[in-house]
Amino acid sequence: KFESLCNNKHHPLGKTLEIGAGCGMLGLILAAKGLSSKVILTEAAEAIGNLTTNVLENVDFTHSDDKNSEKHNENLTLDGVHGTDFRPACPAQRISVRQLRWDNLEHDIKAARKGNNPLEFEHYRGSGKEFLLHSENDLEPHTFDTIVGTDVVFSPALVCPMLDTLRQMSYKQWNERERKKNTKKGKKKSKNNDESSSKQKSTEIFLCLQIRCPDSHALLFAEAPKYGFEVVDITKELSDPTRDGCNNVCCSWGSELECVLLKMKSLSRTTS
């Protein structure tokens, strides 16, 4: 699905947040394939250790998008992933790991502002790799172009905290009154910036899951509008060989695994 969005566009998914990243496979692929300009993989405290280990194993510390860092890279060696002959393929600048608990969102966002990042393991300091480890704040709310998640709907108790997380991390949506107000502010800052100031960014949200808990699945559809989202089931697109950019290739394994692909659209806010 994401590959079909490329159409020769550089980093078509932009800055991407993965919620409930698990082992990190999806986020690593998005970063390695260049589909995202940067991917921030997030998990709860109980799973952050395993996620961080997998990311570090798959990060190519010898590759940098920054030409000025080539002199640092030439002395680095590249080990195989988990002791295999397969070489890491994910550029370090395109990926980050953060703790993000849906029920303790504000605390983890504040921690990220202080530069706390699981990738900054002490045993990497002095190795020549520390200059590639991310310490900047990349978990600021309302800054993500795309949000993705796999198998994140499994408990009724976590549906509303997850929806609140999606609302906090996606771009703010203005109602008509706010849009006009924002446009006027933009014009005051720059007369030549009319188009960009009046244009509202919208976050694309994709959730791929198996219906493990029917109650949670139903609750997601019922509660989403209260958080400003409309949930659309686009599963049929996985088996449609005529969809844009798919080159007549279907995602057969998605159907076999009974995967459901959901796209969440932001609704315009109605409050003033």
Side-chain angles (χ1 to χ4, degrees):
K1 174 65 181 178
F2 295 132
E3 288 255 31
S4 69
L5 297 175
C6 276
N7 295 325
N8 298 320
K9 184 179 178 183
H10 192 51
H11 305 320
L13 300 182
K15 183 183 177 185
T16 301
L17 173 71
E18 183 178 7
I19 60 171
C23 66
M25 184 176 72
L26 175 57
L28 284 163
I29 291 172
L30 296 181
K33 295 283 287 184
L35 292 169
S36 302
S37 56
K38 184 172 182 180
V39 184
I40 293 79
L41 297 92
T42 62
E43 254 298 352
E46 298 82 1
I48 200 74
N50 181 59
L51 173 61
T52 305
T53 298
N54 278 334
V55 169
L56 286 171
E57 284 287 333
N58 285 278
V59 165
D60 180 359
F61 286 96
T62 68
H63 174 82
S64 173
D65 293 330
D66 182 4
K67 294 181 180 179
N68 295 324
S69 65
E70 290 179 359
K71 60 183 179 180
H72 298 283
N73 293 349
E74 59 188 13
N75 294 323
L76 297 180
T77 58
L78 196 61
D79 299 322
V81 177
H82 293 299
T84 68
D85 292 330
F86 294 99
R87 294 293 184 252
C90 182
Q93 287 82 5
R94 289 195 202 143
I95 204 155
S96 177
V97 174
R98 297 286 186 183
Q99 177 173 287
L100 188 64
R101 295 163 294 177
W102 305 341
D103 57 353
N104 208 348
L105 197 60
E106 296 301 322
H107 177 276
D108 290 338
I109 289 173
K110 288 180 181 178
R113 287 173 181 157
K114 296 178 181 179
N116 298 332
N117 192 327
L119 285 184
E120 297 184 65
F121 282 161
E122 196 63 37
H123 63 267
Y124 276 92
R125 301 190 187 282
S127 66
K129 297 180 179 181
E130 68 274 8
F131 76 97
L132 289 176
L133 299 177
H134 307 291
S135 58
E136 79 275 11
N137 178 20
D138 49 21
L139 199 59
E140 195 66 26
H142 310 304
T143 62
F144 291 92
D145 301 298
T146 306
I147 301 177
V148 297
T150 56
D151 277 331
V152 290
V153 181
F154 54 85
S155 168
L158 292 176
V159 170
C160 287
M162 183 194 72
L163 285 169
D164 187 46
T165 298
L166 295 176
R167 179 175 61 181
Q168 292 290 334
M169 306 313 285
S170 59
Y171 289 123
K172 288 184 178 180
Q173 299 301 299
W174 314 319
N175 58 30
E176 185 63 20
R177 180 178 175 183
E178 291 170 321
R179 188 189 66 77
K180 290 179 178 179
K181 184 178 180 181
N182 188 76
T183 301
K184 289 180 180 179
K185 285 183 179 180
K187 287 182 177 179
K188 287 181 180 180
K189 291 180 181 180
S190 173
K191 294 181 179 180
N192 299 322
N193 202 30
D194 296 331
E195 186 177 349
S196 60
S197 62
S198 61
K199 214 179 243 187
Q200 183 181 4
K201 289 185 176 181
S202 180
T203 302
E204 296 264 87
I205 303 175
F206 296 94
L207 302 181
C208 184
L209 49 95
Q210 294 173 309
I211 304 178
R212 303 181 186 279
C213 175
D215 289 343
S216 298
H217 191 72
L219 190 62
L220 173 66
F221 279 81
E223 293 293 317
K226 299 177 184 178
Y227 291 84
F229 297 111
E230 175 190 8
V231 184
V232 181
D233 190 331
I234 59 171
T235 307
K236 289 184 178 179
E237 293 189 21
L238 294 174
S239 56
D240 180 9
T242 63
R243 69 188 187 277
D244 292 340
C246 73
N247 297 321
N248 291 317
V249 176
C250 295
C251 180
S252 58
W253 58 264
S255 302
E256 293 169 3
L257 294 175
E258 298 182 342
C259 290
V260 175
L261 182 61
L262 305 177
K263 182 176 182 180
M264 299 181 66
K265 299 181 179 179
S266 295
L267 299 172
S268 297
R269 289 170 50 190
T270 56
T271 56
S272 300

